[in-house]
Amino acid sequence: QVQLVESGGGLVQAGGSLRLSCAASYDIFRLNTIGWYRQGPGQQREVVATIIKGSTNYADSVKGRFTISRDSATNTLYLEMSSLQPEDTAVYYCNAEEISPRGNRYNYWGQGTQVTVSS
C-alpha cells in the first residue's frame, strides 16, 4: 500500500507560480510510474505530467511552464508550475503505480490539492 499526500495548492494570480508536493510512503524511485493529474470544474481528470521508468512526460498544455521532479531523500514528488493561467484551475492529484514481484499492478491516488488561478 502506497500512501500519497499532496500539499502546496492555493490561490494565485494569472502569471504566478506555485509548487506542489506529493509525499509518498514508499521509495518513489521503485515505482513504475508516478505523476500529476488534474480535474477542472465540470471536466474529466487529465494527465499533467508523469515520470515513467525515469522518463518525464508532459501534457501539451503545460509544456514549458510546468516541471515535474522527485527527491529520493524524502520520497517526494514535485510539480513546479509557472505562468499559471485561469485554465490551470483544478484539483491536482498525485498518482502512482506499483508493480509487484508477481507482476500485479496497483494504482494509488492522493486526496488532491486545489489550485485556483484568478484572472
Side-chain angles (χ1 to χ4, degrees):
Q1 184 83 6
V2 178
Q3 295 182 335
L4 305 170
V5 180
E6 302 100 331
S7 60
L11 174 64
V12 63
Q13 290 187 332
S17 301
L18 278 176
R19 186 178 78 162
L20 305 183
S21 301
C22 171
S25 63
Y26 188 80
D27 183 348
I28 60 174
F29 280 78
R30 295 180 61 184
L31 293 167
N32 184 62
T33 303
I34 192 162
W36 292 95
Y37 288 70
R38 68 185 181 186
Q39 187 166 14
Q43 298 179 359
Q44 291 187 333
R45 194 170 297 189
E46 63 177 3
V47 62
V48 175
T50 58
I51 300 176
I52 302 173
K53 296 181 180 179
S55 296
T56 57
N57 307 274
Y58 295 94
D60 288 343
S61 60
V62 306
K63 281 181 181 176
R65 300 188 298 123
F66 291 10
T67 302
I68 188 171
S69 63
R70 51 186 175 171
D71 184 342
S72 61
T74 60
N75 287 323
T76 303
L77 181 72
Y78 297 102
L79 185 68
E80 297 275 0
M81 306 185 294
S82 62
S83 301
L84 284 162
Q85 299 300 317
E87 52 265 34
D88 294 315
T89 294
V91 178
Y92 284 70
Y93 297 91
C94 183
N95 172 266
E97 181 186 72
E98 176 191 17
I99 300 178
S100 73
R102 291 189 175 186
N104 296 317
R105 293 176 180 265
Y106 299 93
N107 200 263
Y108 305 98
W109 292 94
Q111 83 287 352
T113 185
Q114 176 71 48
V115 172
T116 303
V117 184
S118 63
S119 57

